[in-house]
C-alpha cells in the first residue's frame, strides 16, 4: 500500500483491490457466523403458544440471511484470488463511506482486524 501527504495535509493511500475483496469476504463470513448465532439464540427463546405464523416466517428469514452471507463470503474470497494484483483504489474516499469504525479497521489492510470473541460472557447491551 502506497501513502503520500497532499498539500491539504490529507494522506493519500492506495488500497489494493484484491486485498479489499478478500477482507470483504472475511467480513461477510464473520457476519454469517453472527447471524447463525442470532438464529441459535432465538431458537432457545420460548414463544407464546400461538405465535403469529407471519412472525415465525420472519424469524426463518434469518436462515436465508445466514446462507446468503456465507455464499457471498465464499464468492468474494474467490473473486479476490482472481483479481490482478496491481489494481489499486484510493483508500480514503472508499473507506470513508463506512460508518462503523470496526468495519473500517477490518477492511483496511493497514489496520489490525478487530476480531469479535465468540465466547464473550459480558452483559447484554440492547441498542
Amino acid at each position: 500500500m502506497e501513502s503520500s501527504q497532499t498539500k491539504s495535509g490529507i494522506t493519500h493511500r492506495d488500497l489494493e483491490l484484491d486485498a479489499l475483496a478478500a477482507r470483504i469476504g472475511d467480513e461477510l463470513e464473520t457476519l454469517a457466523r453472527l447471524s447463525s448465532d442470532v438464529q441459535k439464540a432465538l431458537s432457545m427463546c420460548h414463544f407464546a403458544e400461538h405465535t403469529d405464523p407471519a412472525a415465525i416466517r420472519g424469524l426463518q428469514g434469518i436462515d436465508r440471511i445466514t446462507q446468503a452471507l456465507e455464499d457471498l463470503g465464499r464468492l468474494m474470497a474467490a473473486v479476490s484470488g482472481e483479481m490482478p494484483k496491481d489494481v489499486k483504489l484510493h483508500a480514503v474516499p472508499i473507506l470513508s463511506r463506512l460508518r462503523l469504525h470496526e468495519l473500517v479497521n477490518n477492511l483496511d489492510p493497514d489496520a489490525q482486524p478487530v476480531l469479535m470473541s465468540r465466547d464473550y460472557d459480558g452483559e447484554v447491551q440492547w441498542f
Side-chain angles (χ1 to χ4, degrees):
M1 179 162 326
E2 296 174 22
S3 179
S4 64
Q5 191 85 13
T6 64
K7 291 180 184 180
S8 64
I10 297 173
T11 301
H12 170 83
R13 291 186 303 123
D14 285 331
L15 182 63
E16 295 176 5
L17 184 57
D18 61 326
L20 177 61
R23 286 184 173 240
I24 290 171
D26 292 343
E27 190 65 24
L28 288 166
E29 290 176 11
T30 298
L31 292 172
R33 281 194 307 276
L34 288 172
S35 178
S36 179
D37 290 346
V38 167
Q39 185 176 1
K40 288 173 189 170
L42 283 172
S43 71
M44 290 187 266
C45 293
H46 298 283
F47 293 100
E49 268 186 51
H50 302 292
T51 302
D52 181 27
I56 298 296
R57 281 191 298 276
L59 291 171
Q60 289 172 337
I62 296 171
D63 185 54
R64 167 74 170 86
I65 292 168
T66 302
Q67 291 179 42
L69 288 169
E70 289 170 345
D71 278 352
L72 290 171
R74 285 190 295 274
L75 176 68
M76 285 307 297
V79 166
S80 73
E82 295 294 321
M83 288 181 173
K85 304 296 181 208
D86 58 348
V87 177
K88 298 185 187 312
L89 305 170
H90 299 296
V92 174
I94 296 291
L95 297 175
S96 68
R97 296 181 183 271
L98 303 174
R99 293 182 302 176
L100 295 174
H101 183 69
E102 177 183 317
L103 186 56
V104 172
N105 282 345
N106 289 348
L107 296 181
D108 187 349
D110 277 356
Q112 288 294 333
V114 178
L115 301 175
M116 294 187 69
S117 171
R118 295 189 69 170
D119 299 323
Y120 176 70
D121 289 336
E123 190 176 309
V124 173
Q125 296 179 1
W126 298 103
F127 297 101

